[in-house]
Amino acid sequence: MIVGIPKEIKNNESRVGMTPAGVFELVKNNHTVYVQSGAGEGSGFFDEDYQQVGATILETIQEVYAISEMIVKVKEPISAEYPLVKKGQIVFTYFHFASSEALTRAMMDSGATCIAYETVEDEDGTLPLLTPMSEVAGRMAIQQGAKYLEKPKKGRGVLLGGVPGVAPGKVLVLGAGTVGIQAAKMAAGLGAHVTILDVNMKRLRYVNDVMPSHVVTEFSNEFNIRKHIKTHDLIIGGVLIKGAKAPKLISKEMLDDMRPGTVIVDVAVDQGGCIETTKPTTHEDPTYIINDVVHYCVANMPGAVPYTSTVALTNVTLPYVLKLANMGWRSACNLDKSLSKGLNIVEGEIVYKEIIEAFNLEPVLV
Ligand SMILES: NC(=O)c1ccc[n+]([C@@H]2O[C@H](COP(=O)([O-])OP(=O)(O)OC[C@H]3O[C@@H](n4cnc5c(N)ncnc54)[C@H](O)[C@@H]3O)[C@@H](O)[C@H]2O)c1
């Protein structure tokens, strides 16, 4: 198969759809790979790195789309890319169709087959191509939180690990899912005292089993949240109710109970946030202050660490890319039920129930 890796042109996106390691595997499997010049630079991979493993570099994005049978990228195509996607092409990337009718209509019109990373789903309901980004964001939440706890950043002036003779900082983690566990692990590693809350007892039992004793689990309810926000320095929002807006666990009025300089990192901002005062921010201007509480609510946290994010993402996408290239999308999806859940548009027809419902489209049988 001819596989194309275009440069991401969405604002502030430095990740790339495939690393040289991925190209190496494709070439080893007798596929031809075209990479747009400079596509990997933002993530620290240069044209020579791709050439060395057998890719051909093309200057323009138009050339990459025109020659490729499958496009592998990171973000959904933006309007400048719509006319480049062609009939019969496979596009494998994050799409989030339900949030854009324009994108949905453009991909239907193109006649392409669109396989969305975010809906590839394992048998146990987990989303293997979203997990690595939650892992990145969870770990990063503590790094950012620690930074904004510093006085010049308007925080309480607390060092999370403390020092001999001074108690460590206290971190409250809301949600013991992928984000929450990674955040708790990083905070514990720094020596902070960690309290982690969830409504799922299985998750709490797991955390209790695997974490050190300075990570304490408690059931998530309003009483416990009200109690802990008074004494914790850093609060991480990592709750998710699948397919729904995040529940608001901390109201505006509850900020009055927090000490000045408390820091909130609401990772769940992309689902509306679990704090009433959350509003999305960017890496250029990541924080704002309400009632002396610092809010960090960047909606694409992994974008700040493109090297790690690219490698983490392509580690999990590559096995699917190889299946698609080796067998074609029909056989690959017939054999791999997880991958088949990623099929959102097949040769221009929407096949994903939630998108059909979102835009009142006619259902199609495939
Ligand atoms: N901002 C970013 O850059 C970024 C990056 C990655 C993920 N995210 C977001 O982070 C959020 C968490 O993702 P995840 O992968 O950890 O999800 P997950 O499904 O692994 O974990 C969510 C956890 O929240 C728990 N939960 C639900 N209701 C709760 C409540 N009332 N109190 C406490 N816990 C509750 C669930 O039981 C679950 O354990 C999602 O909204 C995700 O989209 C944001």
Side-chain angles (χ1 to χ4, degrees), residues 133-134 137 174-180 197-200 203 220 237-241 247 249 266-271 298-302:
M133 294 305 105
S134 287
L174 304 173
T178 307
V179 165
L197 310 184
D198 204 300
V199 287
N200 180 337
R203 300 301 296 173
S220 176
V239 307
L240 175 67
I241 298 177
L249 302 184
D266 196 353
V267 184
V269 56
D270 60 341
Q271 295 294 122
V298 175
N300 66 330
M301 294 173 68

Side-chain angles (χ1 to χ4, degrees), residues 60-359:
T60 66
I61 193 167
Q62 286 80 5
E63 290 170 282
V64 174
Y65 273 90
I67 203 164
S68 304
E69 294 166 277
M70 173 161 68
I71 294 289
V72 179
K73 56 196 267 48
V74 180
K75 295 304 278 189
E76 73 283 358
I78 62 168
S79 56
E81 290 163 299
Y82 295 170
L84 305 178
V85 178
K86 57 180 189 178
K87 194 169 181 338
Q89 201 165 45
I90 302 169
V91 186
F92 192 36
T93 190
Y94 287 122
F95 276 105
H96 298 286
F97 277 118
S99 60
S100 171
E101 186 163 355
L103 172 70
T104 306
R105 300 258 175 213
M107 292 303 108
M108 289 169 75
D109 292 345
S110 73
T113 293
C114 301
I115 308 176
Y117 291 166
E118 70 275 8
T119 66
V120 172
E121 187 177 329
D122 282 340
E123 269 172 26
D124 61 0
T126 54
L127 306 170
L129 305 189
L130 278 183
T131 304
M133 294 305 105
S134 287
E135 288 168 340
V136 170
R139 290 187 175 208
M140 215 180 124
I142 299 303
Q143 231 172 270
Q144 295 302 316
K147 182 167 83 193
Y148 286 99
L149 273 172
E150 293 170 8
K151 203 70 190 168
K153 299 283 186 191
K154 310 278 188 262
R156 284 197 69 226
V158 169
L159 184 65
L160 276 184
V163 285
V166 183
K170 294 179 92 174
V171 179
L172 176 65
V173 182
L174 304 173
T178 307
V179 165
I181 287 182
Q182 296 304 321
K185 187 175 163 152
M186 294 308 273
L190 285 175
H193 174 95
V194 183
T195 309
I196 182 163
L197 310 184
D198 204 300
V199 287
N200 180 337
M201 281 307 300
K202 273 193 191 154
R203 300 301 296 173
L204 293 182
R205 281 195 188 100
Y206 173 74
V207 172
N208 190 261
D209 275 348
V210 299
M211 293 280 175
S213 57
H214 60 297
V215 177
V216 176
T217 59
E218 277 192 48
F219 197 77
S220 176
N221 54 39
E222 189 177 336
F223 181 86
N224 281 338
I225 294 171
R226 281 188 182 274
K227 176 178 72 180
H228 288 307
I229 57 173
K230 293 178 183 159
T231 57
H232 283 65
D233 304 293
L234 171 59
I235 298 167
I236 309 294
V239 307
L240 175 67
I241 298 177
K242 236 188 190 173
K245 280 196 134 194
K248 302 285 180 221
L249 302 184
I250 297 180
S251 64
K252 184 168 192 297
E253 152 263 323
M254 286 161 77
L255 297 189
D256 295 339
D257 290 337
M258 297 179 191
R259 293 170 299 186
T262 299
V263 174
I264 294 174
V265 178
D266 196 353
V267 184
V269 56
D270 60 341
Q271 295 294 122
C274 57
I275 319 288
E276 192 186 353
T277 44
T278 289
K279 54 176 196 243
T281 60
T282 60
H283 289 295
E284 285 71 46
D285 192 9
T287 59
Y288 56 93
I289 294 175
I290 298 179
N291 285 15
D292 294 325
V293 173
V294 181
H295 293 57
Y296 175 102
C297 307
V298 175
N300 66 330
M301 294 173 68
V305 286
Y307 170 76
T308 304
S309 301
T310 290
V311 178
L313 178 63
T314 57
N315 282 343
V316 290
T317 55
L318 184 63
Y320 297 111
V321 171
L322 281 172
K323 274 187 194 171
L324 289 165
N326 289 342
M327 297 183 219
W329 71 264
R330 253 180 225 281
S331 304
C333 291
N334 274 337
L335 275 175
D336 187 325
K337 289 295 153 230
S338 304
L339 181 60
S340 72
K341 296 247 172 90
L343 280 171
N344 281 216
I345 296 183
V346 169
E347 293 169 349
E349 307 277 12
I350 306 256
V351 295
Y352 204 80
K353 191 168 139 266
E354 281 75 4
I355 309 171
I356 293 171
E357 286 169 2
F359 304 124

